[in-house]
Amino acid sequence: MSIQSRKHTQQVLVGNVKVGGGAPIVVQSMTNTDTADVTASVQQIIELSTAGSEIVRVTVNTEEAAKALPEIVNLLAQKGFSVPIVGDFHFNGHKLLEKYPDCAQALSKYRINPGNVGKGKARDPQFQQMIELACRYDKPVRIGVNGGSLDQLVLTRLLDENRQLANPSNLRAVTREAIIQSALESATKAQELGLAKNKITLSCKISNVQELINIYEDLSSRCDYALHLGLTEAGMGSKGMVASAAALGVLMQQGIGDTIRISLTPELGGSRTQEVIVAQEILQTMGFRSFTPMVIACPGCGRTTSDYFRLYVNRSG
């Protein structure tokens, strides 16, 4: 099966990095440091960027983290690193962006999860406030739906509608539709509030490989927003690598996906940069990007008579 051409999507500019619109599939990652710890966060961002992460996301969940962001970005610039920094916001993002304008300006993009931006009557005005702030500071937004924190209002509405059908769908199918509709409805609302279409990226992450593939195939057929791919809670070690490669490989083979993250749980003492290396290896193995020379090597068997190549790789690696 040949690689299909990339499906047309809007091109979103994140800092100086082009996502979508035919640009090469972008590798991104996320820190696991306390963002308020400026020294540790800068160091890890540098490590991720050096490893090949073209966009780095950080958690912005406290006032201390929001205060630290401008200093982090300034220190990175002083050290010669211009990697775009994305702020990952949850329940209090609207307050942090409003109270700390330097943070809002320093970030290259905001990530909003519709499922936890607010609850009840507070949900819509808080989402609106974040979108208005993105418009004010001319920042793109990733509307990132997560199966583990799905908007319960959307799910409840679809379950109620499903019960009225002569042939209702099963819960899994309704949940898939709720994930997709949460993303699309939020994107439509963001545009109504003034955010341009080429400022929006969508993601719909869950931890089940087959379900993830089904969701993105459906989502891709229903919109032309730039799409971020990732298998959430992929796991640790080879399990997480194989699951991510299986899910994202199928989607990218169909031309779906503009930027990817491999959400690996680092092993004890392991480096966060492993997720970057795995993302690059998936893209290069599939022929989408080229990062390092490709080495073809015999896997070894009873006919193997030389250890030269393995010894050479161990010494050079």
Side-chain angles (χ1 to χ4, degrees), residues 37-177:
D37 186 337
V38 173
T39 301
S41 296
V42 168
Q43 181 59 39
Q44 191 171 84
I45 292 169
I46 289 174
E47 291 171 359
L48 291 167
S49 178
T50 301
S53 183
E54 294 157 302
I55 296 174
V56 177
R57 182 160 49 110
V58 302
T59 298
V60 187
N61 59 340
T62 64
E63 292 198 19
E64 290 73 21
K67 291 176 184 177
L69 246 303
E71 186 178 356
I72 288 171
V73 173
N74 287 336
L75 283 173
L76 288 169
Q78 291 173 23
K79 295 175 182 291
F81 288 86
S82 59
V83 59
I85 305 300
V86 178
D88 190 80
F89 294 96
H90 289 279
F91 305 98
N92 58 351
H94 60 295
K95 294 180 180 179
L96 296 176
L97 286 170
E98 184 71 57
K99 186 172 182 179
Y100 298 99
D102 288 347
C103 170
Q105 184 61 56
L107 291 167
S108 295
K109 186 179 183 179
Y110 310 153
R111 187 266 184 163
I112 304 172
N113 182 341
N116 60 23
V117 73
K119 294 183 178 180
K121 294 181 180 180
R123 180 192 180 283
D124 287 345
Q126 290 177 190
F127 178 82
Q128 177 174 339
Q129 185 176 356
M130 292 194 74
I131 296 300
E132 289 175 346
L133 286 161
C135 294
R136 181 189 306 173
Y137 293 101
D138 194 28
K139 304 294 181 179
V141 165
R142 171 158 73 93
I143 295 173
V145 178
N146 191 300
S149 53
L150 176 59
D151 188 335
Q152 294 303 300
L153 291 177
V154 176
L155 180 59
T156 299
R157 186 189 78 221
L158 293 184
L159 286 171
D160 289 342
E161 293 173 357
N162 186 62
R163 278 192 285 269
Q164 307 303 315
L165 300 176
N167 296 301
S169 301
N170 59 38
L171 178 60
R172 180 173 291 183
V174 176
T175 301
R176 283 200 305 266
E177 181 62 20

Side-chain angles (χ1 to χ4, degrees), residues 252-301:
M252 292 189 294
Q253 186 76 8
Q254 298 178 70
I256 298 170
D258 301 296
T259 177
I260 66 172
R261 183 201 169 197
I262 308 302
S263 302
L264 296 179
T265 302
E267 297 181 356
L268 289 176
S271 173
R272 191 67 166 178
T273 60
Q274 185 179 42
E275 67 178 47
V276 179
I277 296 167
V278 173
Q280 289 182 326
E281 289 177 345
I282 293 172
L283 290 174
Q284 181 155 334
T285 300
M286 295 192 68
F288 291 112
R289 299 280 302 270
S290 179
F291 300 99
T292 59
M294 290 288 283
V295 178
I296 307 300
C298 172
C301 66

Side-chain angles (χ1 to χ4, degrees), residues 207-273:
S207 57
N208 180 284
V209 170
Q210 294 293 350
E211 289 294 289
L212 187 84
I213 292 169
N214 291 334
I215 286 170
Y216 271 98
E217 287 175 340
D218 196 351
L219 177 64
S220 175
S221 72
R222 291 159 68 172
C223 73
D224 65 348
Y225 294 106
L227 298 181
H228 169 79
L229 303 185
L231 183 75
T232 191
E233 301 167 353
M236 186 181 293
S238 60
K239 184 268 181 186
M241 297 178 200
V242 172
S244 295
L248 274 58
V250 170
L251 291 168
M252 292 189 294
Q253 186 76 8
Q254 298 178 70
I256 298 170
D258 301 296
T259 177
I260 66 172
R261 183 201 169 197
I262 308 302
S263 302
L264 296 179
T265 302
E267 297 181 356
L268 289 176
S271 173
R272 191 67 166 178
T273 60

